[in-house]
Amino acid sequence: MNKRFFKTIALLQQSLLGISIVLLAAGPVALLIWGDLLPFSAMGILYTISLASVALVMSIRPLADIASDVPQIRALVILRKGFGVLSASIIVTFLLAKIIEPQSAYIASILTPAYWSLDRYALFAHLGDITGLILLITSNTFSKRVLGPWWKRVQKLAYVYFYAGALYEMLALQSTFAMVAMGVVTVLVLIAWVKKRFEKVIVPTSANA
């Protein structure tokens, strides 16, 4: 694998993190001021970018496990952080805009049954909001060091984040892409799981032979 490939991956990673920082820094205020001027389709595009990013995050790891002998795919695992942060940053940007809105009652609404109801698929949307925030806050070396072995367990919330977001987009926004993304990720995860289970069985058997 040549150096240019690694440099491209590193540059893409830095770009994704840079875009995420700009979004979080300026996005909530921009939405608060100019949000009403944005067409609904623009919001849909941002949600689709977020879903596509987390779908890549969820696909890269099982792909790397399935094609473990392809170094180019293994190298892409590095990008999981960048795409994951970008996805969560978009969702958290919308979340922060709701929180800083004048006379906002968003925080208080979290404790109400309506917030967790299935009316208009609110449950899936809010699960995505909360898990996205948790994943974004813990996507750094400091959190990894503080949480220790719990860090990986917290990061498994990515499954909740992905499926909640995909279900919301599929049901509320009638997104075909969300349905396809869920199917692809589910198939890849299952294939990778079966492959690992098969290897655990075959390796001890070969060693005993």
Side-chain angles (χ1 to χ4, degrees):
M1 198 182 310
N2 55 44
K3 292 182 179 180
R4 182 177 296 179
F5 184 76
F6 279 114
K7 287 182 178 179
T8 301
I9 289 177
L11 179 61
L12 180 55
Q13 177 86 309
Q14 291 172 3
S15 300
L16 292 170
L17 294 175
I19 292 170
S20 301
I21 291 171
V22 172
L23 269 174
L24 290 169
V29 175
L31 282 173
L32 189 62
I33 298 173
W34 299 295
D36 292 338
L37 300 177
L38 286 175
F40 184 76
S41 58
M43 301 289 192
I45 290 171
L46 287 172
Y47 279 122
T48 299
I49 292 173
S50 175
L51 180 60
S53 297
V54 72
L56 283 171
V57 173
M58 303 301 292
S59 299
I60 289 173
R61 172 61 73 182
L63 265 177
D65 292 337
I66 295 166
S68 54
D69 56 342
V70 181
Q72 289 85 356
I73 295 179
R74 296 291 299 179
L76 293 177
V77 172
I78 298 170
L79 294 175
R80 294 178 77 239
K81 179 179 179 179
F83 280 113
V85 169
L86 175 62
S87 175
S89 294
I90 293 172
I91 299 303
V92 172
T93 293
F94 284 113
L95 177 63
L96 291 176
K98 295 175 186 175
I99 292 173
I100 66 174
E101 188 177 26
Q103 299 180 340
S104 171
Y106 185 84
I107 299 296
S109 70
I110 295 176
L111 301 176
T112 64
Y115 188 90
W116 302 103
S117 75
L118 284 172
D119 182 38
R120 297 182 182 180
Y121 313 108
L123 174 63
F124 300 128
H126 296 147
L127 277 176
D129 289 345
I130 292 173
T131 52
L133 180 61
I134 294 171
L135 290 168
L136 185 63
I137 291 173
T138 57
S139 293
N140 54 73
T141 305
F142 175 75
S143 295
K144 191 173 184 178
R145 186 169 60 250
V146 170
L147 292 172
W150 278 94
W151 185 81
K152 284 189 176 181
R153 297 171 187 173
V154 170
Q155 291 302 301
K156 287 183 179 180
L157 285 173
Y159 287 96
V160 178
Y161 173 66
F162 169 71
Y163 283 106
L167 280 169
Y168 177 76
E169 290 200 28
M170 183 182 73
L171 297 172
L173 305 180
Q174 303 297 306
S175 171
T176 302
F177 173 74
M179 181 174 62
V180 172
M182 279 196 297
V184 170
V185 169
T186 302
V187 169
L188 288 174
V189 169
L190 287 174
I191 292 174
W193 181 80
V194 170
K195 182 175 182 287
K196 282 185 177 180
R197 296 288 294 181
F198 180 77
E199 288 174 345
K200 284 182 180 179
V201 172
I202 201 69
V203 171
T205 303
S206 300
N208 293 330

